[in-house]
Amino acid sequence: MNILVVGGDGYLGWPQSMYLSKQGHDVGIIDNLTRRAWDVEGGTHSLTPIQTLHDRVTLWKKLTGCTIEAYVGDLQDYDFLVDAMTQFRPDAVVHFGEQRSAPYSMIDRKHAVRTQTNNVIGTLNLLYAIKDLCPEAHLVKLGTMGEYGTPNIDIEEGFIEINHNGRKDLLPFPKQPGSFYHLSKVHDSHNIMFACKIWGIRSTDLNQGVVYGLKTDETQLDDGLATRFDYDGVWGTVLNRYCVQAALGRPLTVYGKGGQTRGFLDIRDTLRCIEIAIQSPPAQGEYRVFNQFTEQFSVLDLANLVQQIGNRKGLNVTINHISDPRVEMEQHYYNAKHTKLLDLGLVPHDLSDVLLDSLMDVVVRHRDRVREETLMPQVNWRSTHNPSSYETAESPVAESVKAER
Ligand code: NAD
Ligand code: USQ
């Protein structure tokens, strides 16, 4: 198949592109490299050294003989998108290309607007391009489990049957997202569902949990194929942050009580879930939702796990409950269904001691690269002006990124 990976330079998009290329598909990447520019804006970076998109694609070809076509441009630029899609003619489009950080979206008005503009308009453009250029192509869209929030009932996979005043219907599960980022995904879901209905295009909306891990068969081929690892207070996800804090001998930053429970999955399962979705496409006009995670943990559970493994490595790990910078429930009921991908053949990798141990080894290897000043959370949900270092920035673009463009 011709598979277009939008956001193919990112943490998930790059390993996904290699994975699909290795399976024999023709893979094209669209990416505007904005994630690299956002690092420049905030003084953040990937703990693992990463190559430019150009160098990655060149190395991939050298090592495997497989070509990945790169189209550098912005989903918000419709002319660019039409050109790229006309050249590539995708059978499936995997869409990772969004601003994905909840804290980034909560910095201030400008960053909330940037997040929602980038994500909602980008996805809307993609829907129009699919309808006009390749209406049979399957859109596989990365959504998030955070669209649902933390209701006091079981979370279904996308839809819930409601009985109301003697009548019943199957309706989208209520959404209670916890940041302007998570809200952007809800807006996308509504737009995608509507586009499937009116134009008869087809889509799978993958409500994914928090992903961890760096190692896939393809990233392990060569250090030059490594994917990014974020650990700072804006981009770092919770387990990554704990691993870095443990490696530096800093206390693990559990926000509040630590009962916040989320779905998690190994990066190898992300790759496989997307392959499964592509292999079993929905019918024309169908909009379907899969909950894409394999295990639930509270953030305190995870801290305890990291402490246990870290101490075994002689790291002397401590846990600190700091005041929660977010507005979220710190103790709550959480039971989210996630059977549809298992029914289609997913065999999950659980978060084992071995995996956590090897993740911590990678972190310890790169410990000297850590920018300690970025470690503590600086974005508070209750404030509309966070933090001063971002106040004047207009998303400057690094010279290296400019040169690549
Ligand atoms: P990432 O930031 O590492 O990658 C996103 C990529 O998209 C970047 O390379 C960026 O440059 C590109 N991009 C952003 N806006 C673009 C635009 N307008 N045009 C072209 N390219 C654009 O993010 P990630 O962690 O790989 O996440 C990928 C997707 O998966 C996101 O949509 C995210 O919301 C979703 N997701 C991620 C996780 C996770 O734990 N990482 C969990 C659930 C869902
Ligand atoms: N948290 C801590 N300590 C930390 C960092 C985070 O306790 O040092 C807590 C947060 O308060 C939150 C939980 O950990 O309750 C998860 O936070 P996170 O930053 O790991 O993840 P989140 O903001 O939800 O976002 C990440 C990805 C996003 C994706 C989402 C999936 O950045 O792209 O959509 O996970 S989900 O959580 O299912 O919505």
Side-chain angles (χ1 to χ4, degrees):
M1 292 172 78
N2 284 1
I3 304 179
L4 190 59
V5 179
V6 182
D9 186 46
Y11 164 56
L12 298 176
W14 172 239
Q16 188 75 54
S17 300
M18 290 190 285
Y19 179 88
L20 292 168
S21 172
K22 186 92 168 291
Q23 311 289 320
H25 299 292
D26 282 334
V27 174
I29 285 176
I30 285 183
D31 203 299
N32 64 349
L33 312 179
T34 188
R35 178 66 189 81
R36 294 175 188 254
W38 289 331
D39 265 346
V40 176
E41 176 191 13
T44 51
H45 73 146
S46 166
L47 183 68
T48 44
I50 51 170
Q51 301 298 307
T52 64
L53 177 57
H54 178 82
D55 286 349
R56 286 173 154 178
V57 163
T58 307
L59 179 59
W60 177 247
K61 178 152 192 197
K62 188 171 147 211
L63 294 175
T64 65
C66 302
T67 304
I68 295 178
E69 212 61 62
Y71 301 90
V72 176
D74 193 328
L75 268 195
Q76 294 173 82
D77 176 351
Y78 195 63
D79 292 339
F80 156 78
L81 182 59
V82 166
D83 280 353
M85 300 237 323
T86 305
Q87 279 179 52
F88 189 73
R89 309 188 66 77
D91 301 304
V93 179
V94 185
H95 179 17
F96 293 102
E98 298 203 325
Q99 191 300 94
R100 69 116 183 107
S101 157
Y104 187 88
S105 76
M106 300 303 291
I107 290 172
D108 57 14
R109 183 201 62 81
K110 194 171 64 184
H111 290 81
V113 170
R114 182 177 298 157
T115 299
Q116 295 213 351
T117 308
N118 185 67
N119 295 0
V120 177
I121 294 179
T123 299
L124 198 50
N125 277 346
L126 201 47
L127 290 168
Y128 269 89
I130 289 173
K131 157 69 177 151
D132 283 347
L133 303 170
C134 45
E136 293 187 0
H138 172 195
L139 172 63
V140 180
K141 166 66 168 53
L142 273 295
T144 177
M145 284 301 292
E147 291 186 36
Y148 303 118
T150 52
N152 198 29
I153 57 171
D154 293 346
I155 295 173
E156 302 297 323
E157 291 203 66
F159 297 88
I160 182 168
E161 191 175 282
I162 307 264
N163 284 288
H164 182 61
N165 293 344
R167 302 182 66 81
K168 67 175 183 193
D169 203 348
L170 189 67
L171 296 171
F173 195 91
K175 309 286 174 82
Q176 303 185 77
S179 73
F180 286 121
Y181 153 70
H182 288 98
L183 271 153
S184 74
K185 296 285 192 184
V186 174
H187 305 326
D188 283 342
S189 293
H190 288 149
N191 285 344
I192 298 168
M193 185 173 159
F194 182 68
C196 289
K197 184 168 80 178
I198 57 169
W199 296 328
I201 59 176
R202 50 176 153 184
S203 180
T204 306
D205 201 348
L206 295 170
N207 283 345
Q208 184 170 240
V210 189
V211 186
Y212 57 81
L214 285 166
K215 290 189 178 168
T216 71
D217 287 347
E218 294 74 29
T219 61
Q220 281 183 279
L221 282 177
D222 190 287
D223 278 350
L225 299 176
T227 195
R228 57 178 308 126
F229 181 96
D230 295 297
Y231 62 90
D232 60 86
V234 169
W235 298 98
T237 46
V238 59
L239 186 61
N240 289 11
R241 289 174 50 67
Y242 289 167
C243 288
V244 169
Q245 290 159 352
L248 292 185
R250 296 275 206 99
L252 311 188
T253 53
V254 173
Y255 296 167
K257 296 194 181 86
Q260 299 93 314
T261 303
R262 302 287 183 266
F264 289 81
L265 71 161
D266 186 303
I267 189 169
R268 291 168 295 178
D269 292 338
T270 294
L271 308 189
R272 175 71 182 132
C273 286
I274 284 165
E275 182 187 27
I276 288 174
I278 293 171
Q279 283 168 345
S280 310
Q284 288 295 141
E286 186 183 352
Y287 167 76
R288 66 180 182 184
V289 179
F290 296 163
N291 291 347
Q292 182 167 310
F293 71 95
T294 59
E295 292 177 283
Q296 291 184 182
F297 296 100
S298 76
V299 299
L300 185 55
D301 290 339
L302 286 180
N304 288 329
L305 272 176
V306 171
Q307 183 175 45
Q308 212 181 322
I309 304 285
N311 286 347
R312 219 185 284 162
K313 293 170 112 48
L315 287 171
N316 187 25
V317 182
T318 58
I319 295 177
N320 197 2
H321 289 258
I322 64 172
S323 160
D324 194 339
R326 305 188 182 195
V327 176
E328 61 186 356
M329 276 197 262
E330 293 174 15
Q331 300 276 20
H332 56 86
Y333 177 77
Y334 198 76
N335 184 31
K337 303 274 172 67
H338 56 111
T339 54
K340 290 187 183 174
L341 283 158
L342 296 172
D343 292 346
L344 287 172
L346 175 67
V347 181
H349 295 86
D350 287 346
L351 177 56
S352 62
D353 287 7
V354 177
L355 186 130
L356 202 46
D357 200 271
S358 83
L359 190 59
M360 288 187 65
D361 282 344
V362 176
V363 170
V364 169
R365 175 147 71 98
H366 296 295
R367 183 164 44 189
D368 290 348
R369 286 171 50 85
V370 172
R371 298 181 184 171
E372 294 216 24
E373 69 284 5
T374 68
L375 270 179
M376 289 308 281
Q378 294 174 51
V379 182
N380 192 305
W381 265 223
R382 295 162 187 85
S383 165
T384 53
H385 294 88
N386 290 288
S388 55
S389 60
Y390 278 91
E391 250 166 26
T392 52
E394 267 302 339
S395 194
V397 178
E399 288 309 310
S400 60
V401 173
K402 266 192 193 159
E404 187 162 353
R405 279 180 176 158

